[in-house]
Amino acid sequence: MSAAPAVRRPVAAAPGALPLLGHALPLRRSPLAFLAALPACGDLVEVRLGPRRAHLVCDPDLVQQVLRDSRTYDKGGPLFDKVRLLTGDGLATSDWEVHRRQRRLMQPAFQVSRMAGYAEVMNEEIAAVLAGWTPGRTFDVNAAMQAMTARIIVRTLFAAQIDERAVTEIQQCLPVFTRGVYRRMVAPFGLMERLPTPANRRFDQALARLHSVIERTITAYRADADHGDLMSTLVNATDSGTGERLTPDEIHEQVVSLLLGGTETTGNVLSWSFHLLDENPQARERLFAEVDEVLDGRLPVFTDLSRMPYARRVLTESLRLYPSTWLLSRSTTAPATLGGLELPAGSIVLFSFYAIGRDARHFTDPERFDPDRWLPERAAGVPRSAQLSFGAGSRKCIGDQFALVEALLLLTAVSSRWRLRGAPGFRAVPEPKASLSTGPLPMTGEPRSPGER
Ligand code: HEM
């Protein structure tokens, strides 16, 4: 059972519940505004998901308590239960017991020492894509970022043995799949997803194609060789205590988990960064100055990244304002006490990094894009518990370093050569789906001239 803090926190009911539906309508229609308003109600706020009751944890210290006791507050609740049905027991959805073993086996694939190798594959993709950009063309930057991050995760997973057809197939299926997963996560009764609508058929087809192409690729994979890619470490991962390896089914589930966890999340933070930089030209010029000083017009390599701290602050700030994982849930496996609230086993607990990131109690002028709030001396004033974009505890994002390397390479590579300008008057409206997207993001690419540098 988790330890009870001395102070009993206020527990409030979220306003506007309807009979049967509970808060399903605001959660579906305007979830971000709904969630961001709840911290003002209390540290723990009761929300109704259709007929089920849940508590949104608004206080970051209590969120940390939940995240650090992953045995009591296990993956579960409506969000993860539905995803698990669709993706199986991958790392992101597995329960505490299964997860402990999986994480031990998968961690080596994400060691810092592996990142330089992954960065080489990332760089090949980035260089190839940027070479195809046309000066003056207006294009959907979000679609471009999602396509690029999908290609990068597929190629770093299967660098050694995947053909172009399979890369394209996975790239096409992923967005249909993730869109459908979110609709199923928030549906109060789960009836709509069973109807033979065109959207449901597209989703079922994408799911089947995704599983089949992953199966083909895994079957073709040769074990006992290290190709320097993620798959090599998954196929060869051995538990040092028991000598056990991941079974073929487990590898399949991990691949789905990594594809889902590693594509839209990183694509979104890049899209938001380009949008925010366009809205804040001073920040963009500072980024250009840093990138020019370090890169002088060339594309970045892994060893350049530590010399571009402003670029990292831009990403951190974009993630604060638009955290890819904007709403998460847990389910208690035993009776627990959270902020003085008694929770029976099976209680649903929700938390939203979006709501925490916009809470003026933790961030001065929270709506403002201010990368310098992450300068070490200023960041020291932000409670550590409120710095949560990648989660915390044993379920913290396994791909956090991978994501940062990828996003930094992409952000600085684009900024080294291109200025992306939004269409006049256009303002992205956040689309909270499985992750927090900009939606279509029309921007025009202007090549930066050597004279600027
Ligand atoms: C900016 C990009 C990313 C963000 C913001 C992000 C965020 C997160 C967060 C908050 C969690 C914890 C979820 C929870 O506590 O319920 C998580 C878990 C996870 N992420 Fe990421 N992620 C990103 C990129 C990636 C990448 C690139 C990969 C794969 C290469 C990845 C794979 C995973 C996996 C497998 C988990 C489950 C970890 C576990 O439970 O042990 N993520 N991510």
Side-chain angles (χ1 to χ4, degrees):
M1 200 191 289
S2 59
V7 184
R8 189 182 170 83
R9 311 298 183 99
V11 180
L18 293 175
L20 279 178
L21 288 174
H23 296 100
L25 290 182
L27 273 172
R28 193 168 184 128
R29 288 185 184 152
S30 51
L32 297 175
F34 175 69
L35 292 171
L38 295 185
C41 301
D43 289 343
L44 290 155
V45 181
E46 190 184 281
V47 175
R48 296 230 341 256
L49 309 166
R52 299 177 75 180
R53 284 172 202 282
H55 283 91
L56 182 79
V57 187
C58 300
D59 178 78
D61 288 338
L62 293 181
V63 173
Q64 284 278 352
Q65 189 184 327
V66 168
L67 291 173
R68 299 210 175 267
D69 183 0
S70 56
R71 187 173 196 169
T72 308
Y73 299 94
D74 204 352
K75 285 283 168 119
L79 307 182
F80 284 111
D81 291 346
K82 294 265 179 81
V83 182
R84 190 181 289 146
L85 283 177
L86 299 163
T87 64
D89 253 345
L91 197 64
T93 49
S94 55
D95 65 26
W96 183 82
E97 191 69 55
V98 174
H99 176 265
R100 279 201 327 157
R101 171 173 171 273
Q102 289 180 343
R103 182 93 187 201
R104 257 200 323 270
L105 287 167
M106 288 183 65
Q107 197 65 54
F110 291 92
Q111 273 163 2
V112 176
S113 58
R114 291 246 156 202
M115 294 304 148
Y118 299 151
E120 281 176 29
V121 181
M122 294 171 184
N123 275 341
E124 279 172 25
E125 286 296 325
I126 294 169
V129 171
L130 291 192
W133 282 15
T134 313
R137 189 172 72 92
T138 300
F139 63 106
D140 180 352
V141 166
N142 186 41
M145 292 303 129
Q146 303 299 346
M148 194 122 63
T149 52
R151 285 191 64 86
I152 284 176
I153 186 74
V154 175
R155 286 227 31 234
T156 37
L157 259 169
F158 302 116
Q161 294 177 18
I162 189 156
D163 57 48
E164 188 52 37
R165 195 167 61 90
V167 177
T168 313
E169 211 169 347
I170 296 178
Q171 200 182 335
Q172 286 168 350
C173 292
L174 270 178
V176 184
F177 181 51
T178 45
R179 259 198 310 273
V181 167
Y182 177 68
R183 289 186 75 81
R184 283 154 182 77
M185 276 157 70
V186 294
F189 303 111
L191 299 176
M192 291 303 283
E193 65 221 45
R194 287 184 223 143
L195 300 176
T197 61
N200 285 343
R201 271 202 296 273
R202 273 197 303 277
F203 175 81
D204 291 340
Q205 280 161 7
L207 186 61
R209 275 174 67 201
L210 200 58
H211 282 313
S212 131
V213 67
I214 291 170
E215 197 57 53
R216 276 204 318 270
T217 313
I218 293 177
T219 310
Y221 226 85
R222 302 177 79 82
D224 298 322
D226 187 352
H227 304 289
D229 55 8
L230 275 166
M231 259 313 271
S232 298
T233 40
L234 294 189
V235 170
N236 296 313
T238 311
D239 190 312
S240 55
T242 62
E244 272 180 277
R245 291 188 170 199
L246 291 167
T247 65
D249 280 352
E250 283 177 321
I251 292 175
H252 188 118
E253 287 170 343
Q254 299 314 338
V255 169
V256 175
S257 204
L258 293 173
L259 289 174
L260 269 184
T263 304
E264 280 203 2
T265 44
T266 320
N268 287 338
V269 68
L270 283 157
S271 304
W272 281 115
S273 297
F274 288 120
H275 180 60
L276 289 163
L277 288 167
D278 183 50
E279 287 193 323
N280 296 273
Q282 278 187 337
R284 181 171 60 194
E285 295 311 311
R286 276 201 48 203
L287 177 64
F288 285 172
E290 178 178 90
V291 161
D292 293 346
E293 196 184 322
V294 176
L295 303 178
D296 194 21
R298 67 178 167 80
L299 295 181
V301 291
F302 181 69
T303 45
D304 293 319
L305 300 183
S306 59
R307 292 190 292 142
M308 294 187 279
Y310 190 71
R312 183 175 281 244
R313 294 205 290 279
V314 166
L315 292 175
T316 309
E317 180 66 345
S318 303
L319 275 170
R320 177 188 69 83
L321 282 168
Y322 300 103
S324 302
T325 40
W326 56 281
L327 179 62
L328 290 165
S329 70
R330 294 291 191 269
S331 172
T332 52
T333 54
T337 310
L338 185 66
L341 175 70
E342 304 287 337
L343 294 167
S347 301
I348 300 167
V349 168
L350 304 168
F351 45 98
S352 166
F353 299 155
Y354 181 88
I356 291 174
R358 307 241 168 187
D359 191 331
R361 287 174 297 182
H362 316 305
F363 297 98
T364 319
D365 202 357
E367 302 294 320
R368 191 162 154 244
F369 176 67
D370 176 12
D372 280 344
R373 72 170 80 235
W374 299 107
L375 279 167
E377 60 277 17
R378 285 182 60 196
V382 177
R384 273 201 69 74
S385 58
Q387 304 176 24
L388 279 171
S389 307
F390 290 101
S394 65
R395 309 303 297 243
K396 185 173 185 226
C397 180
I398 199 169
D400 57 351
Q401 292 308 313
F402 183 102
L404 281 174
V405 169
E406 178 182 11
L408 278 171
L409 285 172
L410 254 158
L411 178 68
T412 55
V414 171
S415 304
S416 179
R417 303 265 172 94
W418 295 87
R419 177 181 276 100
L420 295 178
R421 282 199 199 281
F426 178 83
R427 192 144 210 283
V429 178
E431 288 189 1
K433 302 262 170 68
S435 64
L436 190 52
S437 154
T438 56
L441 186 61
M443 297 187 93
T444 305
E446 294 171 0
R448 295 188 59 223
S449 67
E452 273 188 63
R453 296 192 277 273

